[in-house]
Amino acid sequence: RQAGFGAPRYLEAERLAPFKPRSLDIDVIMDLMIHDLDLTLLLTGAEPVDVRAVGVAAVTDKADMATAWMTLNNGTVANLAASRVVREPARRMRIFWQDRYASVDFLNNTLHIYHRGAGTVPGIPGVRDEVVDLPKRDALAAEIEDFLNAIVAHRPVFCDGIAGRRVLAAALQVRVAVEAFLQH
C-alpha cells in the first residue's frame, strides 16, 4: 500500500491472455484472476463482503473468461476481468482514490499517477501526470527466487501463507459465483 494514499475507493483490472493448452485442469479464476485478487487484497488491506461474478466456458469445460464485482469490508469496490481466450494479451490495473488515479500496465512496465492540482495533462484541466518506469523483471522468476531465499536464507517471504490463504478464499468466492452463473 502506498503511504498517505489510504485505501482506494475503486479499482479495476484486466488480465487477458491468448489461449495456451496449459493449466486446463483449472479455470481462469485460479489461472489468471487470482493474481489481481492478490493485488486487490494487498492494496486495500480488506476482505470481500459481497462477490458477484459471471463467466463463460468458451473453449474448455471450465470458465475461460470471468468478470467479478466485489465490495470489500472497507468500502472499496473492485471490478476484475480475466480471459484466456483473447488474441491480444493485456495486464492492466487502474486504481482510484479520492484525489488521484493510478494506471499500471504490467506488460509494458509503466505506471502513470494522475494527481489533482496544477495540471499539465492535455484535455484534463487541473490534473498532472507522474510517469514511473517500473523495473523489467520476470515475475515468476522473482517469486521462485523469493521462495528459495526463504528456504535457504531463512528470510520472510513477500507473500506468506496467511496472504495466500486470503487470496485463495477470495478466488473460491468468485468461483462459486461463476459456477452459479454457468448453471443458469
Side-chain angles (χ1 to χ4, degrees):
R1 274 173 270 173
Q2 186 89 19
F5 283 24
R9 304 278 298 146
Y10 174 75
L11 65 85
E12 60 186 14
E14 60 181 358
R15 191 170 292 257
L16 313 175
F19 184 77
K20 294 179 183 149
R22 62 153 183 80
S23 302
L24 299 182
D25 58 325
I26 58 174
D27 56 37
V28 72
I29 300 152
M30 297 298 176
D31 186 15
L32 298 177
M33 187 182 283
I34 197 161
H35 301 292
D36 293 322
L37 286 164
D38 185 27
L39 288 170
T40 298
L41 299 182
L42 177 70
L43 289 168
T44 63
E47 304 293 327
V49 292
D50 183 35
V51 176
R52 298 166 194 232
V54 296
V56 175
V59 176
T60 70
D61 63 343
K62 296 173 180 51
D64 295 309
M65 46 195 308
T67 299
W69 300 273
M70 300 187 321
T71 303
L72 306 175
N73 63 355
N74 67 350
T76 300
V77 174
N79 181 7
L80 311 177
S83 175
R84 58 184 179 190
V85 291
V86 299
R87 294 183 59 90
E88 296 296 323
R91 289 188 181 96
R92 294 184 280 255
M93 181 173 270
R94 288 166 291 283
I95 308 152
F96 298 85
W97 291 269
Q98 196 65 33
D99 63 346
R100 71 192 79 230
Y101 151 63
S103 178
V104 185
D105 182 332
F106 296 107
L107 288 179
N108 295 311
N109 297 319
T110 58
L111 166 65
H112 288 259
I113 303 174
Y114 301 92
H115 304 268
R116 263 194 227 160
T120 58
V121 176
I124 309 174
V127 173
R128 71 181 162 86
D129 181 11
E130 176 184 346
V131 180
V132 179
D133 286 323
L134 303 174
K136 294 183 188 328
R137 65 183 191 146
D138 182 328
L140 185 56
E143 285 180 24
I144 292 169
E145 182 180 339
D146 187 49
F147 179 71
L148 293 175
N149 280 331
I151 294 169
V152 175
H154 303 287
R155 293 184 184 152
V157 291
F158 181 74
C159 181
D160 62 18
I162 294 169
R165 203 167 159 200
R166 286 177 60 224
V167 78
L168 179 60
L172 291 173
Q173 285 180 280
V174 172
R175 176 186 274 170
V176 166
V178 166
E179 287 175 352
F181 176 81
L182 290 172
Q183 298 293 321
H184 286 91

